[in-house]
Amino acid sequence: MTTATEAGAPWLIVGLGNPGPEYAANRHNVGFMVADLLAERIGGKFKRAGKAQAQVVEGRIGAPGPASRRVVLVKPMSYMNLSGGPVTALRDFYKVPTAHVVAVHDELDIDYGTMRLKLGGGDNGHNGLKSMTKAMGADYHRVRFGIGRPPGRMQVADFVLKDFSSAERKELDYLVDRAADAVECLVTEGLERAQSAYNS
């Protein structure tokens, strides 16, 4: 059940990734890609968030009127395995309940082209989620963008820090767009509606 405080609180949408141009097109940075698209949609530009090691954009998602929701888009600039610190600092600064935090991240255990939304759960070895869960508990939403498992004997770390393949890039813009749609649906219509529309 949503409390009155939660109903009026903004949503913190966290795109997980690593800062710097050398990481920009990596599989591990798909959270940044989705956050960038959402910022574009609300007409905002990421800027440094005070003392927090992150970039933020503030705005609204959804049709104008009572259905729209105040959001803070976040890209932690701390590197993936330290994401929890800046995210928790911003959650506290904006007075966001943990249930209004959404992490958008790459997911190894889901095939490329597949997406799943959920609330809570484990980190599945994902260093960004591990850091967030350690800092604030596990009761935040996740938009899990499938990247599949590494081929052959390739190490997971090498796979996630490589750019999407040329075959994957053909679909990437569409899939990032769909993930941004899923975030908007989650925030404006709730988890159940977003799951039925976007889980695949």
Side-chain angles (χ1 to χ4, degrees), residues 18-29 32-33 79 160-164:
N18 286 307
E22 68 273 35
Y23 299 107
N26 288 180
R27 293 182 176 94
H28 222 19
N29 267 46
F32 274 19
M33 296 174 199
Y79 290 96
V160 298
L161 293 175
K162 277 197 164 40
D163 291 359
F164 285 98

Side-chain angles (χ1 to χ4, degrees), residues 9 12 16 36 69 113 146:
L12 206 65
L16 288 175
D36 284 337
R69 298 285 178 267

Side-chain angles (χ1 to χ4, degrees), residues 19-53:
E22 68 273 35
Y23 299 107
N26 288 180
R27 293 182 176 94
H28 222 19
N29 267 46
V30 76
F32 274 19
M33 296 174 199
V34 175
D36 284 337
L37 178 57
L38 286 165
E40 200 180 298
R41 288 184 181 183
I42 64 176
K45 280 194 164 50
F46 277 100
K47 51 181 185 277
R48 186 80 186 205
K51 291 179 183 173
Q53 215 177 347

